[in-house]
């Protein structure tokens, strides 16, 4: 089953609302576009893994780069601390880890 950006984003936004308790209304304008970029990156990773273009190491590197970029934007635009954002992104990724890892065939999202 191919991953869908909109389905991943919907799950991630739902998880973000709980992960950013108390600040979601203030930061959702900045956070949702970053979550969309993460979801899109994951869908692209899946397509490239299936096509044989990406190894697990390359897929992991690409995801980590996108996560770091998202963290930087969220921290810079919201005034939240990096550790708060990292903790929230881990909760958000946990919400999609099983479906993503199953679709890709290896633990792209692990240890979150």
């Amino acid at each position: 089953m191919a991953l869908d950006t909109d389905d991943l984003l919907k799950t991630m936004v739902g998880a973000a609302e709980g992960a950013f308790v108390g600040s979601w209304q203030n930061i959702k304008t900045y956070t949702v576009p970053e979550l969309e970029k993460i979801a899109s990156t994951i869908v692209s990773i899946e397509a490239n893994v299936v096509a044989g273009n990406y190894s697990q190491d390359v897929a992991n590197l690409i995801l980590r780069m996108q996560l770091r970029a998202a963290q930087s934007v969220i921290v810079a635009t919201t005034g939240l601390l990096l550790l708060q954002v990292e903790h929230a992104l881990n909760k958000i990724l946990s919400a999609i880890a099983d479906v993503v890892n199953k679709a890709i065939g290896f633990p792209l999202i692990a240890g979150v």
Side-chain angles (χ1 to χ4, degrees):
M1 174 184 84
L3 295 171
D4 179 77
T5 303
D6 291 334
D7 289 343
L8 290 177
L9 181 61
K10 182 179 177 182
T11 301
M12 293 167 74
V13 168
E17 290 180 66
F20 287 109
V21 174
S23 59
W24 178 244
Q25 290 304 314
N26 297 329
I27 68 164
K28 70 180 179 181
T29 302
Y30 308 107
T31 304
V32 172
E34 293 308 308
L35 296 179
E36 187 171 10
K37 291 175 192 174
I38 293 168
S40 179
T41 296
I42 290 169
V43 169
S44 176
I45 288 169
E46 179 200 18
N48 279 285
V49 167
V50 169
N53 297 327
Y54 289 176
S55 67
Q56 184 172 351
D57 288 340
V58 170
N60 285 330
L61 176 62
I62 291 169
L63 179 61
R64 297 297 165 240
M65 289 187 322
Q66 184 59 58
L67 292 175
R68 294 293 176 239
Q71 285 175 341
S72 295
V73 170
I74 295 168
V75 167
T77 58
T78 64
L80 293 175
L81 298 174
L82 180 58
L83 289 176
Q84 286 176 298
V85 173
E86 187 174 323
H87 179 71
L89 283 174
N90 286 341
K91 284 186 173 186
I92 293 163
L93 290 174
S94 290
I96 61 168
D98 288 342
V99 69
V100 169
N101 293 342
K102 182 177 179 183
I104 293 178
F106 56 79
L108 179 67
I109 301 174
V112 292

